[in-house]
Every structure is written in structure tokens, then in C-alpha cells.
Amino acid sequence: MSTERDLYGWADACLLPGFTGYTAPDWVRRRVAEGLGGVALYHDNVADTAQLSKLTGELRAERADVLIAIDEEGGDVTRLEIARGSSWPGNHALGRADDTELTRQVAAGIGRTLAETGVSLDFGPVADVNTTADNPVIGVRSFGSDPERVAAHTAAYVDGLQSTGVAACAKHFPGHGGTVVDSHHDLPVVHDAESVFESTAFPPFRAAIEAGVRSVMTAHITVPAFDTVPATLSAPILTGLLRRRLGYTGVVITDSLEMEAVSRTFGITEGGVRAVIAGADLLCTGTRDGEQRVHALREALVAAVRDGRLPEQRLAEAAERVRALSGWTGRGGGRGAGTGAGRGAERGTAQGADPGAGTDGGRGSGQGAARGAETPLGLVAARRALHAVGITPLTAPPLVVELGEEPNPAVGRTSWGLGRTLQEALPTTTVRSYHGPDDRPLDELRHTGPGTPLVVTVRDRHRHPWIAAAVAELVAARPDTVLVEMGLPYGTPPARHYIHTHGAARVCAQAAAELLLGRELG
């Protein structure tokens, strides 16, 4: 017979809150000591790797096996390098390079940095197949639009990351690649038939499961083919599809319950209870309201057991899965047991790069450079992902026109880009940024000499009519314009000279800058 202490202990184990600041608040430390499932770290929790190591040390001083999670995908989504951009390319660049051994090595490189700073769970890889060009939230976070390619790279990423002892999290089940609405702001509805999900969205998750992925994250989307409620709250999806059809036995984590797809429709507390009833094990609760939210969810889960809505065994099962994951990471997880970077290094893949040489050797980036002066692995991967047509080295410092809107919340506020990279190499480079349809980038050309090269950078030009119109105007006025697409390349490029980086990571900008300058950048 379970006691009240049992119920509250199980409820605590199912909670994964966040907080703000570089040190853990007293309430977080106290609840970690009392059995909180873990904590999720965000960009405003990380100043640098030294500070992150100190923070995780504070948390582990309260309980050594506490799960410490972070959203470090590489590419556009980085928490470790939010101030300067990631030194690792993201999934779309890796899918473009299409070398699963390279993907495995990149994931292992990210995993080593996380492990050495005390992080035990990474919310990656994105296993979504980006089947919709207008997808506002996945895009270059996906390995691509081909299910087989995405599946192969998802499995390689899981293998590489978990070989370092850091648990991977394949996301966002049952597949977020076909949405045209950002679930941070609203509830997407995907009307694809069950057969489409089976042939397109499920293969990468099957591959992740076969690779031994330790956790899977849910999608805040509604799929009428399966249920009328969001997948995060759906027993037919989480239990019927993920558990029974796909055979998954690990931890199911919700995407953040603060996202408006859930918080605005069911509410965070009710949404959390429904998610556990449906089959979720760990609730990602977000950062707002702090301990008050944790307390409300804890009480609501226990009340749901008492009311008979939530079977006691379901709550106990969820807590046991979370504790088993904590134990796996505490024992070093798959470190040494996987087929990660070591195998590729032995074979001499990735152009001789050695991702294991040091923890901060990638020129302060948190990635290892290969034996002294050899090229950092992230840059090797970014170079291999480039697609360029009609590019010759610049003959003078350029004018760089950056056209872009605020990134989605998964990316966060960013300050990096090609303009900044070119300015570091050529200090007299001029950079102008424009962010909306009322801006007039063409006016800038009136103040620019005819011998000044023009470089225009965009992200997802095809999704933003004002950006497409501005590019057309600039190219018409200056046919020698070099267009650099740092988002999802789609459609026929409107310029004769163009570069596709397949992501906006700093290392992708560096690879493009090297091509424009005709030389390597240190």
C-alpha cells in the first residue's frame, strides 16, 4: 500500500523545472535534495562553460544523480554559445554533408562538452522530417526532408551523443515537420493521414529507438488522424503509438508546458496532469512562476491519483523511468560502449579531424581541434555543407545587408551572423541590418561606391515576402550581388552568385566567409 510520501515522491520525480540566473535558487536546491526529477537549463543560465560547471556542481552537491538537461542542438539552437553562435553546424548542414560518421562525431563532440560541464541530458536530436517548406519552427533544425536520410542521421546522432554518457532526446513525437504554425505561439494541427505519418514521420523515431535513445520529447501538435487533443496529452499517441506500435520503453518528456499550444488551451497544471495520464513521464515546466508552479503541479498530480483520474501505477511507473534515466547518466551512460567519435577517428574520416583532442580547443568554442593546428571538426562539417555557385573572392571590403526577422523562441535572441564574421576578418566591412517590410535596404546603395561588393544574407527568404521583395530589388540594382541563404534553401535562387550554408551557426558563417575571402580564417 503506497503512502502519501510515496505519492509526493513520485510526483516530484516527474518534474523538470527551469529557473533564471547563473546560480540555483534556494528553492531549486532544496527540491533537488528532496527528489525533484531534474532541472532544465536555458540560455540565461549559461555565461560560459566555467560558470556552467559551477552551477551543475551546486546542483549535484544536493543530489549527485539529479538530471540536468539543456537544449544544445548545435547550429541555430545553442545555449552554450548563445552570445557568439555555435561552433557546431546544425542538423540541416549535417544532412546536406550526408556523412553519418561525421554526424556521429559532431554529436560526440557536443556530448563531451556537456558531460564535462555536468549536463546529463541533451534535448536533441531533432528527429522531425521537415516536409513543409513554410515550417516556422523546424526548418534547418531538421536533417532534411527525406525520411531515410533523417532516420540514418538521427540514429548516428543518438549513438554519438550517448557514447559520451549524455542521454539523447529524440524530438518531437509524432513529428513536427509538417506544421505551418509555431507551437510556441499557437496549437498546430497536422491533417496528414496515418499512412503518411507511418511512412514519413515515424522512421527517424524508429531509428532512434533502435539506436537506444534514452528519451523522446513530445510535440504540442494535434493530429486528427490519431486524436483530437495535442499529442503531449494524448494516450492514443504516447501509449498507443510510441509505446505499443514503436516499442519504446524509455522516458517520455513533454516539450515545455509554457508553450502556448498547451498553456493557452488546457493550462500548464491541467496540461501536466493530462500528459502524465496519457503516458508522459517527465514534465518540462518552464521557468515562469518558479516554485509556485512546481508546487501546483506536484499537488495536482497527487490529487489526480486520489480522485482516480491518474492511476497510481502510472505515476509510479513514470517516476521509476525517470530515476532509471538518472541512474544511467550517473553511471556514465553509454560512455565507451557506443560507436561514437573514436571509430571515425580511427578510420580517418571527417578530413582527419579528431573531435577528442581537448574540451575547449575549438578556438574557445567548446569543441576539440585535431592535434594542434588541424581544422576543428565543426568547421570541417560546415565547409562540407556549403553549396555555392558563381563565387569569386571579394576584391574589397563589402557592404553586407542582413535581412531577417526575429528567430523563433527555440533559437532565442541572437547577435551572430555573416556580417559580424566578415567584419572580424575585414574591419572596414560595412554591415546594415533590416528587420521588417518598412525598411528600405535599397536606399543604402545610394551611399555605397560602385566598387564596393554587395553581400546580402537572409534566413528562409521563401517564407517572408518582404525579404524576397527586398532581395529582388537589390539584385536588380546590383546583378553582382552575392546572396547568402543561412536558413532553409527553397526554390530557385534569384541571384547568379549565391551560397547556401544550411544553417546560421557561427561556424556556418565562418565557412561562407572563407569562401568569400578566398582564404581560411583562424
Side-chain angles (χ1 to χ4, degrees), residues 218-250:
T218 66
H220 296 332
I221 63 171
T222 297
V223 185
F226 301 128
D227 205 350
T228 58
V229 300
T232 298
L233 318 182
S234 169
I237 292 175
L238 299 189
T239 301
L241 292 176
L242 182 57
R243 296 287 188 202
R244 294 175 185 155
R245 185 185 297 187
L246 272 64
Y248 178 62
T249 60

PDB file of all heavy atoms in Angstrom, residues 218-250:
ATOM      1  N   THR A 218       7.791  15.004 -26.672  1.00  0.00           N
ATOM      2  CA  THR A 218       6.516  15.099 -27.361  1.00  0.00           C
ATOM      3  C   THR A 218       6.401  16.391 -28.161  1.00  0.00           C
ATOM      4  O   THR A 218       7.111  17.361 -27.923  1.00  0.00           O
ATOM      5  CB  THR A 218       5.356  15.067 -26.356  1.00  0.00           C
ATOM      6  OG1 THR A 218       5.404  16.256 -25.544  1.00  0.00           O
ATOM      7  CG2 THR A 218       5.438  13.840 -25.472  1.00  0.00           C
ATOM      8  N   ALA A 219       5.462  16.387 -29.091  1.00  0.00           N
ATOM      9  CA  ALA A 219       5.144  17.578 -29.873  1.00  0.00           C
ATOM     10  C   ALA A 219       3.810  18.139 -29.413  1.00  0.00           C
ATOM     11  O   ALA A 219       2.854  17.394 -29.200  1.00  0.00           O
ATOM     12  CB  ALA A 219       5.061  17.240 -31.363  1.00  0.00           C
ATOM     13  N   HIS A 220       3.748  19.452 -29.278  1.00  0.00           N
ATOM     14  CA  HIS A 220       2.482  20.111 -28.977  1.00  0.00           C
ATOM     15  C   HIS A 220       1.737  20.360 -30.292  1.00  0.00           C
ATOM     16  O   HIS A 220       1.609  21.496 -30.765  1.00  0.00           O
ATOM     17  CB  HIS A 220       2.726  21.443 -28.274  1.00  0.00           C
ATOM     18  CG  HIS A 220       3.365  21.329 -26.929  1.00  0.00           C
ATOM     19  ND1 HIS A 220       3.231  20.229 -26.107  1.00  0.00           N
ATOM     20  CD2 HIS A 220       4.145  22.211 -26.241  1.00  0.00           C
ATOM     21  CE1 HIS A 220       3.903  20.436 -24.981  1.00  0.00           C
ATOM     22  NE2 HIS A 220       4.461  21.625 -25.043  1.00  0.00           N
ATOM     23  N   ILE A 221       1.290  19.285 -30.915  1.00  0.00           N
ATOM     24  CA  ILE A 221       0.523  19.381 -32.150  1.00  0.00           C
ATOM     25  C   ILE A 221      -0.694  18.469 -32.038  1.00  0.00           C
ATOM     26  O   ILE A 221      -0.666  17.481 -31.298  1.00  0.00           O
ATOM     27  CB  ILE A 221       1.352  18.972 -33.387  1.00  0.00           C
ATOM     28  CG1 ILE A 221       1.772  17.497 -33.298  1.00  0.00           C
ATOM     29  CG2 ILE A 221       2.574  19.869 -33.550  1.00  0.00           C
ATOM     30  CD1 ILE A 221       2.406  16.954 -34.569  1.00  0.00           C
ATOM     31  N   THR A 222      -1.744  18.809 -32.757  1.00  0.00           N
ATOM     32  CA  THR A 222      -2.909  17.940 -32.836  1.00  0.00           C
ATOM     33  C   THR A 222      -2.913  17.236 -34.182  1.00  0.00           C
ATOM     34  O   THR A 222      -2.716  17.874 -35.224  1.00  0.00           O
ATOM     35  CB  THR A 222      -4.211  18.742 -32.664  1.00  0.00           C
ATOM     36  OG1 THR A 222      -4.230  19.329 -31.354  1.00  0.00           O
ATOM     37  CG2 THR A 222      -5.429  17.846 -32.813  1.00  0.00           C
ATOM     38  N   VAL A 223      -3.124  15.927 -34.144  1.00  0.00           N
ATOM     39  CA  VAL A 223      -3.184  15.116 -35.360  1.00  0.00           C
ATOM     40  C   VAL A 223      -4.541  14.417 -35.381  1.00  0.00           C
ATOM     41  O   VAL A 223      -4.719  13.385 -34.714  1.00  0.00           O
ATOM     42  CB  VAL A 223      -2.043  14.084 -35.409  1.00  0.00           C
ATOM     43  CG1 VAL A 223      -2.064  13.347 -36.745  1.00  0.00           C
ATOM     44  CG2 VAL A 223      -0.686  14.747 -35.195  1.00  0.00           C
ATOM     45  N   PRO A 224      -5.508  14.958 -36.111  1.00  0.00           N
ATOM     46  CA  PRO A 224      -6.854  14.359 -36.120  1.00  0.00           C
ATOM     47  C   PRO A 224      -6.877  12.893 -36.520  1.00  0.00           C
ATOM     48  O   PRO A 224      -7.798  12.160 -36.124  1.00  0.00           O
ATOM     49  CB  PRO A 224      -7.613  15.227 -37.126  1.00  0.00           C
ATOM     50  CG  PRO A 224      -6.912  16.552 -37.081  1.00  0.00           C
ATOM     51  CD  PRO A 224      -5.469  16.212 -36.872  1.00  0.00           C
ATOM     52  N   ALA A 225      -5.877  12.439 -37.269  1.00  0.00           N
ATOM     53  CA  ALA A 225      -5.848  11.024 -37.642  1.00  0.00           C
ATOM     54  C   ALA A 225      -5.684  10.117 -36.433  1.00  0.00           C
ATOM     55  O   ALA A 225      -6.039   8.922 -36.488  1.00  0.00           O
ATOM     56  CB  ALA A 225      -4.705  10.779 -38.635  1.00  0.00           C
ATOM     57  N   PHE A 226      -5.160  10.671 -35.327  1.00  0.00           N
ATOM     58  CA  PHE A 226      -4.909   9.871 -34.135  1.00  0.00           C
ATOM     59  C   PHE A 226      -5.768  10.270 -32.942  1.00  0.00           C
ATOM     60  O   PHE A 226      -6.158   9.426 -32.138  1.00  0.00           O
ATOM     61  CB  PHE A 226      -3.434   9.959 -33.734  1.00  0.00           C
ATOM     62  CG  PHE A 226      -2.474   9.494 -34.777  1.00  0.00           C
ATOM     63  CD1 PHE A 226      -1.421  10.298 -35.165  1.00  0.00           C
ATOM     64  CD2 PHE A 226      -2.625   8.255 -35.380  1.00  0.00           C
ATOM     65  CE1 PHE A 226      -0.521   9.879 -36.138  1.00  0.00           C
ATOM     66  CE2 PHE A 226      -1.730   7.819 -36.347  1.00  0.00           C
ATOM     67  CZ  PHE A 226      -0.676   8.636 -36.728  1.00  0.00           C
ATOM     68  N   ASP A 227      -6.007  11.581 -32.780  1.00  0.00           N
ATOM     69  CA  ASP A 227      -6.714  12.054 -31.593  1.00  0.00           C
ATOM     70  C   ASP A 227      -7.155  13.493 -31.810  1.00  0.00           C
ATOM     71  O   ASP A 227      -6.695  14.160 -32.753  1.00  0.00           O
ATOM     72  CB  ASP A 227      -5.806  11.962 -30.356  1.00  0.00           C
ATOM     73  CG  ASP A 227      -6.579  11.846 -29.047  1.00  0.00           C
ATOM     74  OD1 ASP A 227      -7.817  12.020 -29.062  1.00  0.00           O
ATOM     75  OD2 ASP A 227      -5.938  11.600 -28.009  1.00  0.00           O
ATOM     76  N   THR A 228      -7.981  13.972 -30.908  1.00  0.00           N
ATOM     77  CA  THR A 228      -8.486  15.351 -31.016  1.00  0.00           C
ATOM     78  C   THR A 228      -7.780  16.301 -30.064  1.00  0.00           C
ATOM     79  O   THR A 228      -8.087  17.490 -30.048  1.00  0.00           O
ATOM     80  CB  THR A 228      -9.996  15.387 -30.728  1.00  0.00           C
ATOM     81  OG1 THR A 228     -10.238  14.849 -29.411  1.00  0.00           O
ATOM     82  CG2 THR A 228     -10.768  14.580 -31.762  1.00  0.00           C
ATOM     83  N   VAL A 229      -6.861  15.799 -29.256  1.00  0.00           N
ATOM     84  CA  VAL A 229      -6.114  16.643 -28.323  1.00  0.00           C
ATOM     85  C   VAL A 229      -4.641  16.642 -28.713  1.00  0.00           C
ATOM     86  O   VAL A 229      -4.188  15.776 -29.472  1.00  0.00           O
ATOM     87  CB  VAL A 229      -6.279  16.154 -26.865  1.00  0.00           C
ATOM     88  CG1 VAL A 229      -7.749  16.195 -26.450  1.00  0.00           C
ATOM     89  CG2 VAL A 229      -5.703  14.757 -26.686  1.00  0.00           C
ATOM     90  N   PRO A 230      -3.869  17.613 -28.218  1.00  0.00           N
ATOM     91  CA  PRO A 230      -2.438  17.653 -28.559  1.00  0.00           C
ATOM     92  C   PRO A 230      -1.724  16.356 -28.210  1.00  0.00           C
ATOM     93  O   PRO A 230      -2.073  15.678 -27.230  1.00  0.00           O
ATOM     94  CB  PRO A 230      -1.922  18.827 -27.717  1.00  0.00           C
ATOM     95  CG  PRO A 230      -3.104  19.698 -27.484  1.00  0.00           C
ATOM     96  CD  PRO A 230      -4.271  18.761 -27.373  1.00  0.00           C
ATOM     97  N   ALA A 231      -0.736  16.013 -29.002  1.00  0.00           N
ATOM     98  CA  ALA A 231      -0.004  14.760 -28.809  1.00  0.00           C
ATOM     99  C   ALA A 231       0.542  14.632 -27.395  1.00  0.00           C
ATOM    100  O   ALA A 231       0.555  13.534 -26.825  1.00  0.00           O
ATOM    101  CB  ALA A 231       1.139  14.667 -29.827  1.00  0.00           C
ATOM    102  N   THR A 232       0.982  15.716 -26.817  1.00  0.00           N
ATOM    103  CA  THR A 232       1.529  15.700 -25.461  1.00  0.00           C
ATOM    104  C   THR A 232       0.527  15.173 -24.448  1.00  0.00           C
ATOM    105  O   THR A 232       0.911  14.600 -23.427  1.00  0.00           O
ATOM    106  CB  THR A 232       1.981  17.120 -25.072  1.00  0.00           C
ATOM    107  OG1 THR A 232       3.012  17.533 -25.972  1.00  0.00           O
ATOM    108  CG2 THR A 232       2.510  17.188 -23.650  1.00  0.00           C
ATOM    109  N   LEU A 233      -0.757  15.329 -24.739  1.00  0.00           N
ATOM    110  CA  LEU A 233      -1.811  14.948 -23.805  1.00  0.00           C
ATOM    111  C   LEU A 233      -2.597  13.733 -24.296  1.00  0.00           C
ATOM    112  O   LEU A 233      -3.656  13.416 -23.755  1.00  0.00           O
ATOM    113  CB  LEU A 233      -2.789  16.114 -23.593  1.00  0.00           C
ATOM    114  CG  LEU A 233      -2.202  17.511 -23.439  1.00  0.00           C
ATOM    115  CD1 LEU A 233      -3.310  18.526 -23.185  1.00  0.00           C
ATOM    116  CD2 LEU A 233      -1.182  17.547 -22.311  1.00  0.00           C
ATOM    117  N   SER A 234      -2.087  13.060 -25.306  1.00  0.00           N
ATOM    118  CA  SER A 234      -2.851  12.020 -25.995  1.00  0.00           C
ATOM    119  C   SER A 234      -2.362  10.610 -25.662  1.00  0.00           C
ATOM    120  O   SER A 234      -1.243  10.227 -26.033  1.00  0.00           O
ATOM    121  CB  SER A 234      -2.776  12.238 -27.506  1.00  0.00           C
ATOM    122  OG  SER A 234      -3.287  11.128 -28.204  1.00  0.00           O
ATOM    123  N   ALA A 235      -3.210   9.814 -25.011  1.00  0.00           N
ATOM    124  CA  ALA A 235      -2.865   8.418 -24.757  1.00  0.00           C
ATOM    125  C   ALA A 235      -2.772   7.599 -26.045  1.00  0.00           C
ATOM    126  O   ALA A 235      -1.871   6.752 -26.174  1.00  0.00           O
ATOM    127  CB  ALA A 235      -3.874   7.801 -23.792  1.00  0.00           C
ATOM    128  N   PRO A 236      -3.669   7.811 -27.027  1.00  0.00           N
ATOM    129  CA  PRO A 236      -3.502   7.052 -28.279  1.00  0.00           C
ATOM    130  C   PRO A 236      -2.157   7.294 -28.956  1.00  0.00           C
ATOM    131  O   PRO A 236      -1.627   6.400 -29.619  1.00  0.00           O
ATOM    132  CB  PRO A 236      -4.667   7.560 -29.144  1.00  0.00           C
ATOM    133  CG  PRO A 236      -5.710   7.975 -28.159  1.00  0.00           C
ATOM    134  CD  PRO A 236      -4.940   8.553 -27.002  1.00  0.00           C
ATOM    135  N   ILE A 237      -1.578   8.488 -28.793  1.00  0.00           N
ATOM    136  CA  ILE A 237      -0.294   8.794 -29.425  1.00  0.00           C
ATOM    137  C   ILE A 237       0.873   8.334 -28.557  1.00  0.00           C
ATOM    138  O   ILE A 237       1.776   7.626 -29.019  1.00  0.00           O
ATOM    139  CB  ILE A 237      -0.198  10.289 -29.752  1.00  0.00           C
ATOM    140  CG1 ILE A 237      -1.189  10.647 -30.869  1.00  0.00           C
ATOM    141  CG2 ILE A 237       1.222  10.675 -30.151  1.00  0.00           C
ATOM    142  CD1 ILE A 237      -1.277  12.119 -31.198  1.00  0.00           C
ATOM    143  N   LEU A 238       0.879   8.738 -27.278  1.00  0.00           N
ATOM    144  CA  LEU A 238       2.033   8.424 -26.427  1.00  0.00           C
ATOM    145  C   LEU A 238       2.070   6.954 -26.027  1.00  0.00           C
ATOM    146  O   LEU A 238       3.139   6.333 -26.001  1.00  0.00           O
ATOM    147  CB  LEU A 238       2.025   9.306 -25.179  1.00  0.00           C
ATOM    148  CG  LEU A 238       2.114  10.815 -25.411  1.00  0.00           C
ATOM    149  CD1 LEU A 238       2.315  11.544 -24.085  1.00  0.00           C
ATOM    150  CD2 LEU A 238       3.241  11.162 -26.379  1.00  0.00           C
ATOM    151  N   THR A 239       0.913   6.389 -25.693  1.00  0.00           N
ATOM    152  CA  THR A 239       0.870   4.990 -25.270  1.00  0.00           C
ATOM    153  C   THR A 239       0.598   4.063 -26.454  1.00  0.00           C
ATOM    154  O   THR A 239       1.310   3.075 -26.663  1.00  0.00           O
ATOM    155  CB  THR A 239      -0.192   4.791 -24.172  1.00  0.00           C
ATOM    156  OG1 THR A 239       0.141   5.629 -23.057  1.00  0.00           O
ATOM    157  CG2 THR A 239      -0.222   3.346 -23.722  1.00  0.00           C
ATOM    158  N   GLY A 240      -0.412   4.410 -27.252  1.00  0.00           N
ATOM    159  CA  GLY A 240      -0.781   3.534 -28.360  1.00  0.00           C
ATOM    160  C   GLY A 240       0.266   3.471 -29.457  1.00  0.00           C
ATOM    161  O   GLY A 240       0.645   2.377 -29.903  1.00  0.00           O
ATOM    162  N   LEU A 241       0.766   4.639 -29.882  1.00  0.00           N
ATOM    163  CA  LEU A 241       1.739   4.662 -30.979  1.00  0.00           C
ATOM    164  C   LEU A 241       3.172   4.489 -30.486  1.00  0.00           C
ATOM    165  O   LEU A 241       3.886   3.573 -30.895  1.00  0.00           O
ATOM    166  CB  LEU A 241       1.606   5.967 -31.756  1.00  0.00           C
ATOM    167  CG  LEU A 241       0.327   6.179 -32.557  1.00  0.00           C
ATOM    168  CD1 LEU A 241       0.320   7.558 -33.194  1.00  0.00           C
ATOM    169  CD2 LEU A 241       0.177   5.113 -33.625  1.00  0.00           C
ATOM    170  N   LEU A 242       3.602   5.389 -29.613  1.00  0.00           N
ATOM    171  CA  LEU A 242       5.010   5.394 -29.215  1.00  0.00           C
ATOM    172  C   LEU A 242       5.379   4.143 -28.418  1.00  0.00           C
ATOM    173  O   LEU A 242       6.386   3.490 -28.699  1.00  0.00           O
ATOM    174  CB  LEU A 242       5.312   6.664 -28.414  1.00  0.00           C
ATOM    175  CG  LEU A 242       6.760   6.863 -27.955  1.00  0.00           C
ATOM    176  CD1 LEU A 242       7.714   6.849 -29.145  1.00  0.00           C
ATOM    177  CD2 LEU A 242       6.899   8.169 -27.171  1.00  0.00           C
ATOM    178  N   ARG A 243       4.568   3.807 -27.436  1.00  0.00           N
ATOM    179  CA  ARG A 243       4.898   2.655 -26.587  1.00  0.00           C
ATOM    180  C   ARG A 243       4.598   1.332 -27.298  1.00  0.00           C
ATOM    181  O   ARG A 243       5.463   0.458 -27.383  1.00  0.00           O
ATOM    182  CB  ARG A 243       4.094   2.721 -25.285  1.00  0.00           C
ATOM    183  CG  ARG A 243       4.408   3.907 -24.396  1.00  0.00           C
ATOM    184  CD  ARG A 243       5.750   3.763 -23.725  1.00  0.00           C
ATOM    185  NE  ARG A 243       5.959   4.811 -22.717  1.00  0.00           N
ATOM    186  CZ  ARG A 243       7.151   5.194 -22.279  1.00  0.00           C
ATOM    187  NH1 ARG A 243       8.245   4.608 -22.759  1.00  0.00           N
ATOM    188  NH2 ARG A 243       7.266   6.140 -21.384  1.00  0.00           N
ATOM    189  N   ARG A 244       3.376   1.188 -27.780  1.00  0.00           N
ATOM    190  CA  ARG A 244       2.953  -0.124 -28.277  1.00  0.00           C
ATOM    191  C   ARG A 244       3.388  -0.375 -29.715  1.00  0.00           C
ATOM    192  O   ARG A 244       3.981  -1.411 -30.019  1.00  0.00           O
ATOM    193  CB  ARG A 244       1.439  -0.261 -28.120  1.00  0.00           C
ATOM    194  CG  ARG A 244       1.016  -0.292 -26.648  1.00  0.00           C
ATOM    195  CD  ARG A 244      -0.482  -0.315 -26.479  1.00  0.00           C
ATOM    196  NE  ARG A 244      -0.850  -0.233 -25.062  1.00  0.00           N
ATOM    197  CZ  ARG A 244      -2.009   0.227 -24.614  1.00  0.00           C
ATOM    198  NH1 ARG A 244      -2.946   0.643 -25.469  1.00  0.00           N
ATOM    199  NH2 ARG A 244      -2.256   0.273 -23.314  1.00  0.00           N
ATOM    200  N   ARG A 245       3.109   0.561 -30.608  1.00  0.00           N
ATOM    201  CA  ARG A 245       3.445   0.293 -32.010  1.00  0.00           C
ATOM    202  C   ARG A 245       4.946   0.377 -32.255  1.00  0.00           C
ATOM    203  O   ARG A 245       5.523  -0.466 -32.934  1.00  0.00           O
ATOM    204  CB  ARG A 245       2.713   1.262 -32.946  1.00  0.00           C
ATOM    205  CG  ARG A 245       2.962   0.905 -34.418  1.00  0.00           C
ATOM    206  CD  ARG A 245       2.375   1.886 -35.393  1.00  0.00           C
ATOM    207  NE  ARG A 245       0.922   1.978 -35.327  1.00  0.00           N
ATOM    208  CZ  ARG A 245       0.192   2.680 -36.186  1.00  0.00           C
ATOM    209  NH1 ARG A 245       0.779   3.352 -37.174  1.00  0.00           N
ATOM    210  NH2 ARG A 245      -1.119   2.740 -36.053  1.00  0.00           N
ATOM    211  N   LEU A 246       5.593   1.428 -31.710  1.00  0.00           N
ATOM    212  CA  LEU A 246       7.029   1.589 -31.955  1.00  0.00           C
ATOM    213  C   LEU A 246       7.885   0.849 -30.929  1.00  0.00           C
ATOM    214  O   LEU A 246       9.094   0.728 -31.106  1.00  0.00           O
ATOM    215  CB  LEU A 246       7.404   3.072 -31.977  1.00  0.00           C
ATOM    216  CG  LEU A 246       7.291   3.780 -33.339  1.00  0.00           C
ATOM    217  CD1 LEU A 246       5.845   3.804 -33.816  1.00  0.00           C
ATOM    218  CD2 LEU A 246       7.847   5.203 -33.261  1.00  0.00           C
ATOM    219  N   GLY A 247       7.294   0.386 -29.837  1.00  0.00           N
ATOM    220  CA  GLY A 247       8.017  -0.428 -28.868  1.00  0.00           C
ATOM    221  C   GLY A 247       8.959   0.333 -27.969  1.00  0.00           C
ATOM    222  O   GLY A 247       9.916  -0.242 -27.432  1.00  0.00           O
ATOM    223  N   TYR A 248       8.697   1.613 -27.743  1.00  0.00           N
ATOM    224  CA  TYR A 248       9.605   2.421 -26.933  1.00  0.00           C
ATOM    225  C   TYR A 248       9.349   2.211 -25.448  1.00  0.00           C
ATOM    226  O   TYR A 248       8.202   2.220 -24.998  1.00  0.00           O
ATOM    227  CB  TYR A 248       9.428   3.898 -27.286  1.00  0.00           C
ATOM    228  CG  TYR A 248      10.302   4.825 -26.472  1.00  0.00           C
ATOM    229  CD1 TYR A 248      11.690   4.722 -26.554  1.00  0.00           C
ATOM    230  CD2 TYR A 248       9.745   5.770 -25.624  1.00  0.00           C
ATOM    231  CE1 TYR A 248      12.504   5.550 -25.797  1.00  0.00           C
ATOM    232  CE2 TYR A 248      10.544   6.613 -24.880  1.00  0.00           C
ATOM    233  CZ  TYR A 248      11.926   6.505 -24.955  1.00  0.00           C
ATOM    234  OH  TYR A 248      12.718   7.321 -24.214  1.00  0.00           O
ATOM    235  N   THR A 249      10.420   2.045 -24.663  1.00  0.00           N
ATOM    236  CA  THR A 249      10.289   1.783 -23.222  1.00  0.00           C
ATOM    237  C   THR A 249      10.973   2.820 -22.351  1.00  0.00           C
ATOM    238  O   THR A 249      10.943   2.719 -21.127  1.00  0.00           O
ATOM    239  CB  THR A 249      10.865   0.395 -22.877  1.00  0.00           C
ATOM    240  OG1 THR A 249      12.255   0.353 -23.247  1.00  0.00           O
ATOM    241  CG2 THR A 249      10.110  -0.713 -23.595  1.00  0.00           C
ATOM    242  N   GLY A 250      11.609   3.828 -22.949  1.00  0.00           N
ATOM    243  CA  GLY A 250      12.340   4.825 -22.174  1.00  0.00           C
ATOM    244  C   GLY A 250      11.472   5.968 -21.681  1.00  0.00           C
ATOM    245  O   GLY A 250      10.235   5.889 -21.651  1.00  0.00           O
TER     246      GLY A 250
END
